[in-house]
Amino acid sequence: MGRRIYGGSAVIHIFLFFFVLIFSAASALSKNPNPSSGSGQINSNSVLVALLDSRYTELAELVEKALLLQTLEDAVGRHNITIFAPRNEALERDLDPEFKRFLLEPGNLKSLQTLLMFHIIPNRVGSDQWPPEESGRVKHHTLGNDQVHLSNGEGKKMVDLAEIIRPDDLTRPDGLIHGIERLLIPRSVQEDFNRRRSLQSITAILPEGAPEVDPRTNRLKKPAAPVPAGSPPALPIQSAMAPGPSLAPAPAPGPGGKQHHFDGEAQVKDFIHTLLHYGGYNEMADILVNLTSLATEMGRLVSEGYVLTVLAPNDEAMAKLTTDQLSEPGAPEQIVYYHIIPEYQTEESMYNSVRRFGKVKFDTLRFPHKVAAKEADGSVKFGDGERSAYLFDPDIYTDGRISVQGIDGVLFPQEEEIVESVKKPVKKVVQPRRGKLLEVTCSLLGAFGKDTYLSKCR
């Protein structure tokens, strides 16, 4: 009878044990009703599924290639997200092929991930939550710990420099997607691309030709002292420039020359692409590439070791140029020459100069004219009077050889500007005074006659 009681108590203990397990599992499920958020799984109504099945196929393909699906699933599980999706044309035809090739290289996976997370905000921002026009630009942090600025002006909703063309295009409970006209490129990714291009352009100096024999001694000539890489050229930049816009560009040594340490053409192409990606400087890029051959000449100068600072007027300023100002032969070249300084200047260096010395004059490639700069309203102001411009977009492109600074006006040299370095000495011609001897003789005779008359009266 004791054994039966013992056996019954064992069954009761087992039953109680399973009851406790079931109760604990039920309580755990009640505390976490959405177990998919912790495991990274998403449902069919998620904004990520909507992105993969939407019209933004190019962006969805880049997200898969960047291995970001798991990261985005975790982000959706924690909070709502807002995705700024560029249209397919912005990634297919408008994007620089070299830049796209750079993003898709296996070694640049981090740059691709940073660029894509720059398009995602870890909170929900609908079109009705956009900042009003009077509040200015409002910054938001992205998934990549960068910042984007939302603004509203002239009836257009903007995120940085991209216009929202499809507000609230796809809305889901865990986020929404806005369609934008162009790709957003964070500064860090652009600098990585520029740095990679610059590093690839630096090559070793190859030996040139066979050793020379001195015919007098029948011995080998001593080789010239090696020129350190990156050393400044011996001649001034005016000597290396083309003779004029109406003539053919001056020939420059080809690759492998003694001074050819940099691929200037690639660097000039790089900064022109940066102008196009930055936005608002298409006219300046068009003049450099299509209307003139200045891009080629700048590439040759940089290849020879010269450094340049370009004061680039924005499109709004270039639109104010009249037909008369551009119709004269060589006028576009002369305008651009006046905006190129043969020094490497950044926004910080120019501002420090005008703060310390007041008014500073920089040499330009439009020799002998100089462009004046001074401090005004906490920035750098170039020129005087109506033909002045402010430093508007600082450090658009800086790679150590070429610096591009955006300005809000087109500069022209002063018409009454006098340059002391080109003053010609004026030879004075002294006109002889005619009849000087006759005048002296008459005065002597007059005095003699007067004395004679006085002696006779006595």
Side-chain angles (χ1 to χ4, degrees), residues 172-323:
R172 295 295 186 270
D174 54 359
L176 52 88
I177 299 176
H178 298 295
I180 59 178
E181 62 169 347
R182 54 180 295 179
L183 184 70
L184 301 176
I185 303 178
R187 181 180 290 269
S188 60
V189 175
Q190 187 66 57
E191 290 177 351
D192 290 342
F193 175 62
N194 297 341
R195 191 179 304 112
R196 181 64 59 87
R197 289 281 301 276
S198 298
L199 290 176
Q200 289 177 350
S201 65
I202 300 175
T203 58
I205 302 175
L206 300 177
E208 294 184 348
E212 297 182 7
V213 178
D214 190 347
R216 295 174 301 176
T217 61
N218 291 328
R219 295 183 179 180
L220 294 178
K221 289 184 178 181
K222 293 183 179 180
V227 180
S231 60
L235 297 177
I237 193 169
Q238 287 81 11
S239 302
M241 289 175 56
S246 60
L247 303 177
K258 294 182 179 180
Q259 295 286 344
H260 195 86
H261 304 294
F262 299 96
D263 188 356
E265 294 182 1
Q267 289 179 271
V268 171
K269 183 180 179 182
D270 189 13
F271 101 76
I272 291 176
H273 285 169
T274 303
L275 278 181
L276 297 176
H277 292 157
Y278 195 89
Y281 294 90
N282 296 332
E283 295 295 331
M284 183 66 176
D286 185 57
I287 289 180
L288 291 174
V289 177
N290 298 324
L291 297 184
T292 66
S293 60
L294 292 179
T296 303
E297 185 174 355
M298 291 173 64
R300 290 171 178 169
L301 292 175
V302 175
S303 298
E304 287 300 300
Y306 297 97
V307 293
L308 303 173
T309 297
V310 182
L311 305 178
N314 55 20
D315 290 345
E316 183 178 354
M318 297 294 288
K320 297 179 182 178
L321 290 175
T322 61
T323 306

Side-chain angles (χ1 to χ4, degrees), residues 438-452:
L438 182 61
E439 182 181 351
V440 173
T441 305
C442 292
S443 62
L444 292 176
L445 291 177
F448 177 75
K450 185 177 180 181
D451 295 340
T452 305

